[in-house]
Amino acid sequence: MRGANGRWMGRMWVTDSLTGVRKRVQVSGTTNAEVSAKLRAMNDRVDAGKSARDHHISFGGFAQLWLESSLPASDRRPSTQWLYENLTRGHILGSDLARVSLRDLRPSTVERFVMQLRAKGLSSSSVRQIYTIGRAIGDAAVRDGLVGQNPFVAVRRPRIEAREAAFLTPDQVRLLLEAAEESRYLPFLALLVHTGLRRGEALALTWRDIGSEAS
């Protein structure tokens, strides 16, 4: 069909992947062949289980839905779900990225988001975790047929900067134990100092791990 402005138009009925509502979408082009190609492309997406066009919902809007359904339904540990929810609410939902629609999301949008996270002074491990969450949200949008591709995939995962672990000098260890002499934590601190156990390893010890042989 040709409009009054001379451009060709085409329409087709599709079901919204997010709401399930059936609606009519329209495309236009300078030639009938161009319009026919666009309609075929949309029909191919629908046949593949995707939306006819990338969805207009914002990344933040879909991230909120992801928090309410996909995240709690996943097999991630409760502690991981808690971490992901807090990082999403603290660094994704209120970001510039959250205001971009899924159809307008590009790898360069993701790169700007990563740069903004670094500008906040976040550690490299936190930036990497937030990127990982964003990528998981993008994967869910692809799975649900709202977009054809996840732009996070095209952006290299942020690297974690290697840093030498901090440690106490012998004098600092002596001062620490002296300061803890009246504390109930002295035995625990002494255990860490004299065995080299990590905090988590020490806390996981049980009576079965302690030898009872007399010297």
Side-chain angles (χ1 to χ4, degrees):
M1 180 176 64
R2 200 167 191 174
N5 60 358
R7 291 181 61 83
W8 290 85
M9 294 180 294
R11 301 185 181 94
M12 64 180 291
W13 285 91
V14 298
T15 301
D16 189 294
S17 302
L18 192 62
T19 64
V21 175
R22 192 163 175 78
K23 62 181 182 180
R24 188 172 64 177
V25 296
Q26 178 174 299
V27 296
S28 64
T30 56
T31 65
N32 187 35
E34 181 184 354
V35 170
S36 297
K38 289 182 179 179
L39 291 175
R40 283 196 302 272
M42 287 198 300
N43 193 63
D44 289 343
R45 285 176 59 111
V46 172
D47 289 343
K50 304 174 183 178
S51 60
R53 291 186 291 203
D54 287 348
H55 208 278
H56 59 78
I57 187 174
S58 68
F59 187 83
F62 184 73
Q64 182 64 51
L65 296 175
W66 181 81
L67 286 177
E68 297 169 358
S69 56
S70 299
L71 179 60
S74 70
D75 58 0
R76 297 179 178 90
R77 292 181 299 178
S79 58
T80 301
Q81 292 190 27
W82 179 87
L83 175 64
Y84 278 21
E85 179 176 357
N86 279 274
L87 290 177
T88 300
R89 295 190 185 282
H91 298 286
I92 293 180
L93 295 187
S95 66
D96 291 341
L97 172 71
R99 291 186 281 274
V100 180
S101 68
L102 292 181
R103 68 173 54 170
D104 294 328
L105 206 59
R106 300 290 183 270
S108 58
T109 315
V110 177
E111 290 172 338
R112 285 195 299 272
F113 174 61
V114 171
M115 291 175 61
Q116 290 169 346
L117 292 176
R118 289 170 175 159
K120 287 183 177 182
L122 297 176
S123 67
S124 58
S125 60
S126 293
V127 172
R128 185 184 176 94
Q129 282 183 321
I130 297 167
Y131 163 89
T132 298
I133 296 169
R135 181 164 176 165
I137 295 171
D139 285 342
V142 173
R143 180 203 64 189
D144 290 351
L146 301 182
V147 290
Q149 295 179 326
N150 179 4
F152 277 81
V153 175
V155 177
R156 179 174 296 180
R157 193 183 301 272
R159 291 186 297 180
I160 297 178
E161 298 176 2
R163 293 183 180 179
E164 184 177 352
F167 60 89
L168 300 179
T169 65
D171 286 340
Q172 289 173 327
V173 170
R174 178 179 53 80
L175 291 173
L176 173 64
L177 295 179
E178 289 177 356
E181 282 184 353
E182 303 299 325
S183 169
R184 64 191 180 98
Y185 296 110
L186 176 61
F188 181 70
L189 293 173
L191 175 67
L192 295 180
V193 168
H194 295 300
T195 64
L197 288 173
R198 296 178 181 176
R199 181 177 57 184
E201 293 171 336
L203 291 173
L205 290 175
T206 65
W207 285 113
R208 292 180 302 177
D209 300 313
I210 300 176
S212 57
E213 296 182 2
S215 56

